[in-house]
Amino acid sequence: MFQSLPSKVKIVEVGPRDGLQNEAEQVATNHKAELIEKIAASGLGEIEITSFVSPKWIPQLADALELAQLVCDKLPANVVTSALVPNLKGYERFKQTDIKQVNLFMSASESHSKKNINKSIDEALVALKEVADVAKADGYRVRAYVSVVFECPYEGKISPEPVIKICDRLLEMKVDEISLGDTIGAATPLHVSEVVELLAENVGLEKLALHFHDTRGGALANVLTGLEAGVKIFDSSLGGLGGCPYAPGASGNLATEDLVYMLHGMNVDTGINLEKLVEAGKFAQKILNKNLPGRYLKACLGVEQKVQEKEKLAK
Amino acid sequence: MFQSLPSKVKIVEVGPRDGLQNEAEQVATNHKAELIEKIAASGLGEIEITSFVSPKWIPQLADALELAQLVCDKLPANVVTSALVPNLKGYERFKQTDIKQVNLFMSASESHSKKNINKSIDEALVALKEVADVAKADGYRVRAYVSVVFECPYEGKISPEPVIKICDRLLEMKVDEISLGDTIGAATPLHVSEVVELLAENVGLEKLALHFHDTRGGALANVLTGLEAGVKIFDSSLGGLGGCPYAPGASGNLATEDLVYMLHGMNVDTGINLEKLVEAGKFAQKILNKNLPGRYLKACLGVEQKVQEKEKLAK
């Protein structure tokens, strides 16, 4: 088993954007910058740092410009920074920064698309193309997220056909990478293997990323399935930062530490120092003043607590 | 992918024993009985209901006899009840009940064995044989747990060789089933596949069970690996009941709902009704007066809460 796993994968850290945007309490811009620096210090090669959506939609990320000005030149030159750009207005703000990559997003289900951005899938593709065209003309690398690829909170299971069509349209726009999202964390390995095997042909494994949520505990089983199918790019979030909007109290994004722990255990290189990543996770807990759901992080902190208790007793 | 998965697996519910034994606050015997009845009502075919260890060691399970008398004849006839039996003294108490199966336990690491039961592996095997011999002579089915099979909190990674030797000895004692435990939840799929492939030959797939903890989020990835290798028996705990003694705050046992959700999504039959299982999980939360770590359960309760909030607003 596992003879043909990729020897190296790319992990895309989405915590500072996908994670923080779900935080009700405003995080200070300098804290966000420090968090991103700590994440980069762990060896993470690609970090989505913010979003240029309307500050009215997501007040938490209203400081996108300021944050980019604060943090971009402090990161190692080889770190790919990226930001979500929903429209041309957002792109104008994005262009004032040194962020290196434009990230686009849309849904694979009509109902989710309507509820989320008030556009049909076709309308969303038109809006995406506007941004993709100028971004590519300006020489940017472009990544596209397709959300609710496996299961939709309104429509249930999504068949692969509309996903394939959407990916075809995205490839026509010359996007460099497509990230398939299990937005509500309901995918199981059989479904993942079906979709990935189909899309590996259409999109190509080099351009395909997987973005799992751990809402039902299956994120790493789904990653394993993707790995076995040859996928080499996985999204995750420091400490599992970011809840799931459809299930309060439930876990959202797959935690980066959990992902890195499993990959290193499979001899798959990530370029990441897990100890430094845990340090970044501890810092995130400190600035957010709460525990994060990531399991590896919890286990580390639990062991530390145990050691401290023992030392206290020994004194 | 996944062409040769088993079509049906057996899930062994360990929550009432392995879960409750980690609870500091005493749970009333009638609550335990009601919990076990609710678990059985979900279709679970095998439930470890208690332990006949010394009440001094684990006061939470001091009511083993009383509980068995209360619950055994209320369960469907096809449910296999079992209990942990550490020695002949415990076996004498066990024999006074209608519990159907004797469960034995030991460690795959010398250090863990010494710390846990103050016996070397060889000494532990002698003690196990005493119980196995009388239990088999009395016509009982016997299951053996081997803990810290993959990683030990004191010795680190465990090589498969001592595990194979231990399993050989257990088979000589004619145990019917061997459950390999990832006690600290540190196994990764590559290691699981190595161990399972070796043991499938020695023990045989029909007798091999896997018992994962979700401490680092990888339990279902490890189950998937076991499934792909042909394993057909998996242990889990309702709601993930049961902490991890080496990492306070960290998750312990794999949650039965998370396991069932993934298996059903892979078209693997478990005989379990997931909705009824969630009802049992809710009951467990009620009698323990706390939230359990299982992710599927959290997601269900989150969605319910969301619906209730909406209905409240609509009024």
Side-chain angles (χ1 to χ4, degrees), chain A residues 236-299:
Chain A
S236 61
S237 170
L238 184 73
L241 198 57
C244 173
Y246 303 102
S251 308
N253 282 299
L254 167 60
T256 309
E257 311 83 56
D258 297 7
L259 174 59
V260 170
Y261 178 80
M262 183 179 87
L263 290 172
H264 289 184
M266 316 272 304
N267 302 327
V268 176
D269 183 19
T270 66
I272 293 170
N273 179 316
L274 188 50
E275 278 177 37
K276 286 192 181 169
L277 198 60
V278 167
E279 288 309 310
K282 285 201 251 179
F283 180 75
Q285 294 205 149
K286 199 175 118 191
I287 61 172
L288 295 171
N289 195 26
K290 68 172 190 181
N291 293 327
L292 294 177
R295 300 208 157 186
Y296 185 87
L297 183 64
K298 268 194 208 303

Side-chain angles (χ1 to χ4, degrees), chain A:
Chain A
M1 219 184 280
F2 305 133
Q3 273 84 357
S4 59
L5 293 187
S7 60
K8 188 174 171 59
V9 303
K10 176 173 89 171
I11 294 183
V12 176
E13 170 63 40
V14 299
R17 193 277 306 173
D18 195 6
L20 289 186
Q21 76 175 21
N22 285 303
E23 292 299 320
E25 201 121 330
Q26 191 67 36
V27 180
T29 308
N30 62 325
H31 279 165
K32 291 180 188 173
E34 204 175 334
L35 179 63
I36 293 163
E37 282 179 71
K38 284 185 194 294
I39 292 170
S42 78
L44 250 151
E46 185 169 329
I47 310 173
E48 189 178 62
I49 67 167
T50 189
S51 167
F52 290 91
V53 295
S54 164
K56 275 185 225 156
W57 292 1
I58 306 177
Q60 178 66 264
L61 304 183
D63 60 357
L65 249 177
E66 196 188 339
L67 174 63
Q69 278 153 4
L70 200 61
V71 79
C72 283
D73 63 357
K74 287 188 186 153
L75 302 177
N78 59 345
V79 172
V80 176
T81 48
S82 68
L84 221 56
V85 179
N87 49 37
L88 289 175
K89 207 170 162 189
Y91 184 70
E92 287 313 310
R93 288 168 67 217
F94 169 87
K95 265 190 72 178
Q96 298 168 45
T97 72
D98 290 329
I99 300 174
K100 294 175 188 167
Q101 179 181 291
V102 170
N103 292 353
L104 311 173
F105 66 96
M106 61 172 299
S107 296
S109 112
E110 289 288 354
S111 315
H112 188 263
S113 189
K114 279 270 169 64
K115 291 242 183 194
N116 201 32
I117 54 168
N118 200 25
K119 285 191 175 80
S120 69
I121 288 179
D122 277 333
E123 288 165 349
L125 281 163
V126 170
L128 245 69
K129 190 174 183 317
E130 286 181 354
V131 182
D133 282 351
V134 288
K136 290 305 294 182
D138 288 340
Y140 286 109
R141 193 173 189 275
V142 174
R143 163 182 246 240
Y145 292 101
V146 186
S147 62
V148 295
V149 161
F150 303 97
E151 194 124 2
C152 166
Y154 313 110
E155 296 184 12
K157 200 172 172 181
I158 299 292
S159 72
E161 289 72 26
V163 181
I164 293 174
K165 276 189 197 162
I166 288 168
C167 289
D168 286 344
R169 297 281 296 274
L170 293 171
L171 291 173
E172 285 166 24
M173 297 178 205
K174 301 198 170 31
V175 308
D176 299 279
E177 195 171 298
I178 299 176
S179 173
L180 305 178
D182 177 26
T183 313
I184 60 166
T188 52
L190 188 62
H191 193 181
V192 171
S193 72
E194 287 165 2
V195 171
V196 169
E197 279 169 16
L198 280 170
L199 286 180
E201 284 180 37
N202 282 48
V203 176
L205 282 169
E206 301 303 319
K207 291 185 175 179
L208 205 62
L210 291 171
H211 180 118
F212 292 117
H213 282 214
D214 209 16
T215 320
R216 287 157 185 82
L220 285 181
N222 291 331
V223 166
L224 183 62
T225 304
L227 266 184
E228 288 190 77
V231 175
K232 296 188 198 76
I233 313 167
F234 296 93
D235 300 356
S236 61
S237 170
L238 184 73
L241 198 57
C244 173
Y246 303 102
S251 308
N253 282 299
L254 167 60
T256 309
E257 311 83 56
D258 297 7
L259 174 59
V260 170
Y261 178 80
M262 183 179 87
L263 290 172
H264 289 184
M266 316 272 304
N267 302 327
V268 176
D269 183 19
T270 66
I272 293 170
N273 179 316
L274 188 50
E275 278 177 37
K276 286 192 181 169
L277 198 60
V278 167
E279 288 309 310
K282 285 201 251 179
F283 180 75
Q285 294 205 149
K286 199 175 118 191
I287 61 172
L288 295 171
N289 195 26
K290 68 172 190 181
N291 293 327
L292 294 177
R295 300 208 157 186
Y296 185 87
L297 183 64
K298 268 194 208 303
C300 284
L301 297 174
V303 170
E304 270 180 21
Q305 193 187 322
K306 190 110 183 171
V307 170
Q308 281 163 3
E309 280 166 13
K310 270 197 179 164
E311 285 172 352
K312 221 172 175 179
L313 284 172
K315 272 177 195 166

Side-chain angles (χ1 to χ4, degrees), chain B:
Chain B
M1 218 185 280
F2 306 133
Q3 273 85 358
S4 59
L5 293 188
S7 60
K8 190 175 169 60
V9 303
K10 176 172 89 170
I11 294 182
V12 176
E13 170 62 41
V14 300
R17 193 278 305 172
D18 194 6
L20 289 184
Q21 78 174 18
N22 285 303
E23 292 298 320
E25 200 121 329
Q26 192 67 37
V27 179
T29 308
N30 63 326
H31 279 165
K32 291 179 187 173
E34 203 176 335
L35 179 63
I36 293 162
E37 282 180 72
K38 284 186 195 293
I39 291 170
S42 77
L44 250 151
E46 185 168 328
I47 310 172
E48 190 178 61
I49 66 169
T50 188
S51 167
F52 290 91
V53 294
S54 164
K56 274 185 225 154
W57 291 0
I58 305 178
Q60 178 66 265
L61 304 183
D63 61 356
L65 250 177
E66 195 187 339
L67 174 64
Q69 279 153 3
L70 199 61
V71 78
C72 283
D73 63 358
K74 286 188 186 153
L75 302 177
N78 59 346
V79 171
V80 175
T81 48
S82 68
L84 221 55
V85 180
N87 49 37
L88 289 175
K89 205 170 162 190
Y91 184 71
E92 287 313 309
R93 287 168 67 220
F94 169 87
K95 266 190 72 178
Q96 298 168 45
T97 73
D98 290 328
I99 300 174
K100 295 174 187 169
Q101 179 181 290
V102 171
N103 293 353
L104 311 173
F105 66 96
M106 62 173 297
S107 297
S109 112
E110 289 289 354
S111 315
H112 188 262
S113 189
K114 279 269 170 63
K115 292 243 182 190
N116 200 33
I117 55 170
N118 199 26
K119 285 190 174 80
S120 69
I121 288 179
D122 277 334
E123 288 165 350
L125 281 163
V126 170
L128 244 69
K129 191 174 183 316
E130 286 180 355
V131 182
D133 283 351
V134 288
K136 290 305 294 181
D138 288 340
Y140 286 109
R141 192 173 191 275
V142 175
R143 163 182 246 239
Y145 292 101
V146 186
S147 62
V148 295
V149 161
F150 303 96
E151 194 124 1
C152 167
Y154 313 109
E155 296 185 12
K157 201 172 173 181
I158 299 292
S159 72
E161 289 72 26
V163 181
I164 293 174
K165 276 189 196 162
I166 289 168
C167 289
D168 286 344
R169 298 279 297 273
L170 292 171
L171 292 173
E172 284 166 25
M173 297 177 205
K174 299 198 170 32
V175 306
D176 300 278
E177 194 171 298
I178 299 176
S179 173
L180 306 178
D182 177 25
T183 312
I184 60 165
T188 52
L190 188 64
H191 193 181
V192 172
S193 72
E194 287 166 4
V195 172
V196 169
E197 279 169 15
L198 281 169
L199 286 179
E201 283 180 37
N202 282 49
V203 177
L205 281 170
E206 302 303 319
K207 291 184 174 179
L208 205 60
L210 292 171
H211 180 117
F212 293 116
H213 282 215
D214 208 16
T215 319
R216 287 158 186 80
L220 285 181
N222 291 332
V223 166
L224 183 62
T225 304
L227 266 184
E228 287 190 77
V231 175
K232 297 187 197 73
I233 313 168
F234 296 92
D235 301 355
S236 61
S237 171
L238 185 73
L241 200 57
C244 174
Y246 303 103
S251 307
N253 282 299
L254 167 60
T256 309
E257 311 82 57
D258 296 7
L259 174 60
V260 170
Y261 178 80
M262 184 180 86
L263 290 172
H264 289 185
M266 317 270 307
N267 302 327
V268 177
D269 184 19
T270 65
I272 293 169
N273 178 316
L274 188 49
E275 279 177 35
K276 286 190 181 171
L277 198 60
V278 167
E279 288 308 311
K282 284 200 251 180
F283 180 76
Q285 294 206 148
K286 199 175 117 190
I287 61 173
L288 295 170
N289 195 26
K290 69 173 191 180
N291 292 328
L292 293 176
R295 299 207 159 188
Y296 185 87
L297 183 63
K298 268 194 209 303
C300 284
L301 297 175
V303 170
E304 271 180 22
Q305 194 187 321
K306 189 111 183 170
V307 169
Q308 281 164 2
E309 280 166 13
K310 270 197 181 167
E311 285 171 351
K312 222 173 176 178
L313 283 173
K315 270 176 196 165

